Every structure is written in structure tokens, then in C-alpha cells.
Amino acid sequence: MPDVTFYPEWILALILGAAVGSFLNVVIHRLPLGESVVHPRSRCPSCHTMIAWYDNLPILSWLLLRGRCRACGVSISPRYLLVEVFTAMIALALCVRFGLTLAFALYFAFACALLAVAYIDLDHQIIPDRISLPGIVVGLAFSVTGGWPAMTDALAGALLGGGILLAVAWTYERLTGVEGMGGGDVKLLALIGAFLGWRGVLLTLLLGSLLGSAIGVTLMLARGADRKLAIPFGPFLSLGALATLFWGDSIVRWYISYAGWAGY
Ligand SMILES: [Zn+2]
């Protein structure tokens, strides 16, 4: 008989992930505006009709209403759906790896913080301290309880992550007289280091920079070279950190074996 004992957990993780994704949409929308993330209930941004609970079910309601407000028919961005689906998939992937454990809860919280930061930075070019600072504390506290990475590694990761970007920002400002990188990026990379350790933070920075350069060059080519084009770094760091969380070990192993094969 096939072993089916895992499946209830996975479904629970999917439902939990979709529900938390729905909450993340509220956080992404309201936190940068300084509004409460619990009150009031959600309203249609266009006609301001309060959204009934049955029209506010994660993923399902958006699909059933085909992305429109029931009252006025204004279209609701597919981004709401995307955030909910993405959060549900992250919860499932973490549950498959860790089960419903403390590690699951903390890495899920970490991933949610990264998602929220990515979208808030994209929309407003800020990374709220209200996410990054408590995140650093939680990451370091987790490592003290015997989580992964080990305490010294988490501390080294936070210091290295914050330190590298601080040095880059300081040097850039010294050379150009222009503030190129916000303090938000510094605290974000410290948060990432607290959860992924010093190797993870370096890989995140590498992946984030590669991705950011690729997208940046593409945008500049598409729009014509505009040196003032400001692209927030937070979304790329967040994506790099998620990739490191899920595939960091494989990427490093692949790199080492490739370098070994190439004779380095
Ligand atoms: Zn409406």
C-alpha cells in the first residue's frame, strides 16, 4: 500500500500558504502607507464596497470572479492571485522539506518577509524597517535555538551582508556624491544573512546582482540608455535569497564540480 501519511500535511500547507498570501497582499498594500494591516476590512479600491468574506477567499475568489469586483466590475490586478499562488507554493515546498515543524514556520516567515519586501520596494522604492529589523532578531534567535545556520554563522551572515552593502554604499557615495543604495538594502541583506549564513548571503548577493544587471541592461536597451533609471535592488536580493534557500546547496555543489572539472 502506498504511504499517504504525508498528504494531509501538504494540503494544510497549501491552504495556510494561500491564506497567508492573501494577508501579504494587504501588508504590501497598506504597510508602506502607514495603515493598519488588520483594520478595516478590505474594500474595492474603485467603488469602495466592502468585500464579503466569500469574495475574499484566497486564490478561489479571484478565479471565480475572473479578477473583477463583484459590485462594480473593475478589474483586480492578477498580482493578487500571483502573490497567493506563489506563497502557497513556497509553503508546500517548505513543508515537503521540513514537515510542519518550527523550522518550517521560521523559514516560511522569512520567505513571506522577502516577498512583501520585494513588492513594497517595487512599488515605493522603500524597504520597511518594520519588516527587516524584527526579521534580523528572529533569524538570530532561531540560530540560538539550534536551528540552521549555526549561531556564529547567522551572526557572521548578518554582519557580512549588512557590512558589504554598507561599504559599497559608502564608497559609491564618496566617489560620486550621490546616494546610490538605500539603508533599506543594507538591513535587508543583514536579515538574509541571519537566516542563510555567510555563504548563503554571498550567494544571494551574487544571484541578485546577476539578475539585477540582466534586467537592468534589458530595460535600458528597451527604453534607450537612461542613466537615471532607478531600479530597486530589494526585489532581486529577495529573489536571490529565495533561490539560495531552495537551491543554494545544489548551486554551490554544481559550481564546485564544474570548477573542479575545468581544472581550477
Ligand atoms: Zn468595486
Side-chain angles (χ1 to χ4, degrees):
M1 230 179 100
D3 183 7
V4 289
T5 49
F6 288 14
Y7 293 126
E9 239 178 46
W10 293 359
I11 291 165
L12 208 63
L14 272 175
I15 295 170
L16 175 80
V20 171
S22 182
F23 174 69
L24 281 184
N25 275 319
V26 176
V27 170
I28 290 163
H29 184 70
R30 293 187 188 173
L31 194 88
L33 305 176
E35 295 174 3
S36 161
V37 293
V38 276
H39 285 289
R41 293 259 316 276
S42 297
R43 288 168 183 276
C44 166
S46 178
C47 69
H48 303 290
T49 305
M50 200 173 277
I51 298 170
W53 66 268
Y54 50 82
D55 284 342
N56 209 7
L57 297 172
I59 300 176
L60 294 178
S61 292
W62 196 97
L63 294 175
L64 288 172
L65 295 169
R66 291 195 205 91
R68 295 191 175 280
C69 166
R70 187 189 287 276
C72 70
V74 74
S75 63
I76 311 283
S77 167
R79 198 173 98 175
Y80 288 89
L81 176 70
L82 190 75
V83 168
E84 287 165 0
V85 169
F86 201 35
T87 313
M89 279 165 45
I90 288 173
L92 176 64
L94 286 173
C95 182
V96 168
R97 183 146 143 201
F98 296 110
L100 290 179
T101 57
L102 178 67
F104 165 85
L106 286 158
Y107 283 118
F108 184 51
F110 173 55
C112 288
L114 292 175
L115 261 182
V117 159
Y119 280 105
I120 291 172
D121 200 14
L122 213 54
D123 288 347
H124 303 275
Q125 283 76 54
I126 52 159
I127 297 173
D129 285 350
R130 279 171 69 189
I131 296 178
S132 53
L133 294 184
I136 295 171
V137 175
V138 171
L140 293 177
F142 178 39
S143 71
V144 173
T145 68
W148 180 89
M151 193 174 67
T152 45
D153 192 10
L155 199 62
L159 290 175
L160 184 67
I164 288 180
L165 284 195
L166 205 61
V168 170
W170 186 82
T171 311
Y172 184 83
E173 216 175 313
R174 264 300 169 97
L175 292 177
T176 62
V178 184
E179 198 186 329
M181 198 179 306
D185 293 316
V186 172
K187 284 168 258 180
L188 173 61
L189 204 58
L191 160 69
I192 291 167
F195 274 92
L196 298 180
W198 71 268
R199 288 179 200 84
V201 90
L202 288 180
L203 185 59
T204 296
L205 195 58
L206 179 70
L207 293 175
S209 304
L210 287 175
L211 204 62
S213 315
I215 305 266
V217 168
T218 311
L219 279 179
M220 275 186 224
L221 288 177
R223 292 183 189 175
D226 177 4
R227 290 168 65 193
K228 279 187 188 151
L229 182 70
I231 303 167
F233 197 23
F236 299 112
L237 286 178
S238 297
L239 270 178
L242 283 176
T244 301
L245 174 60
F246 287 107
W247 303 296
D249 290 342
S250 318
I251 294 172
V252 170
R253 235 178 290 127
W254 169 82
Y255 179 77
I256 290 172
S257 68
Y258 176 78
W261 175 79
Y264 294 112

